[in-house]
Amino acid sequence: MNILYCGLKFDYGKSDLGYSFEHLNFYHTLKNMPSVDKLDYLSLDETIELNNKEYLNEEIINLAKKNKYDLVFFFLFKDEIFESTLNILKNDLSIPTLAWMSDDHWRFETYSKYWANYFSFVVTTDKNSLHKYKKNK
């Protein structure tokens, strides 16, 4: 399986806080899975800091076109990814996208519900949000 992983490298995007939970747990886990043949990593915070959001979104699309991923895995923080980028990945390039929503217990109503339908798959850590996702379709 070939995956593009997009997430924060540093806690809250701030290098002085050290590596983020998602970097330490998701990136390294995916990297060590025997079924993952190729894992490309696009650090959302570093890419935006060095360039901007437009560059980040263009890079995601360019990498996806070039590498024909089996999955683009997102662990998002805010509004780093454009709706148009997600639509291109999912609809135009037919690459499944996955969003890991780890804070649904407090962010579903203000964040997740607005983004969920742009992804092929959504994972939540909040069992109380499952019915909200179904209702939100």
Side-chain angles (χ1 to χ4, degrees), residues 8-9 47 68-69 83 92-93 107 116 119-120 128 133:
L8 294 181
K9 186 173 188 177
T47 304
K68 297 178 175 54
Y69 296 107
E83 296 167 6
D92 298 349
L93 300 177
R107 277 184 21 147
F119 295 93
S120 309
N128 296 321
Y133 276 110

Side-chain angles (χ1 to χ4, degrees), residues 52-63 82 85:
N52 55 42
K53 286 184 192 179
E54 287 76 17
Y55 177 87
L56 169 69
N57 283 266
E58 289 172 12
E59 186 67 5
I60 290 169
I61 293 167
N62 289 337
L63 286 169
F82 301 149
T85 299

Side-chain angles (χ1 to χ4, degrees), residues 31-108:
K31 186 178 176 183
N32 291 313
M33 291 178 74
S35 61
V36 175
D37 300 312
K38 178 180 181 176
L39 179 66
D40 289 336
Y41 181 19
L42 196 53
S43 168
L44 300 176
D45 45 347
E46 286 184 318
T47 304
I48 291 171
E49 185 178 321
L50 293 172
N51 301 283
N52 55 42
K53 286 184 192 179
E54 287 76 17
Y55 177 87
L56 169 69
N57 283 266
E58 289 172 12
E59 186 67 5
I60 290 169
I61 293 167
N62 289 337
L63 286 169
K65 286 179 179 176
K66 178 182 170 188
N67 295 299
K68 297 178 175 54
Y69 296 107
D70 299 305
L71 178 72
V72 179
F73 187 113
F74 291 95
F75 200 121
L76 300 177
F77 179 51
K78 293 191 262 182
D79 60 349
E80 303 92 354
I81 308 303
F82 301 149
E83 296 167 6
S84 58
T85 299
L86 297 170
N87 284 333
I88 290 169
L89 292 172
K90 184 176 158 186
N91 301 324
D92 298 349
L93 300 177
S94 300
I95 298 174
T97 55
L98 182 142
W100 189 282
M101 304 294 197
S102 64
D103 295 322
D104 281 344
H105 62 284
W106 67 275
R107 277 184 21 147
F108 181 85

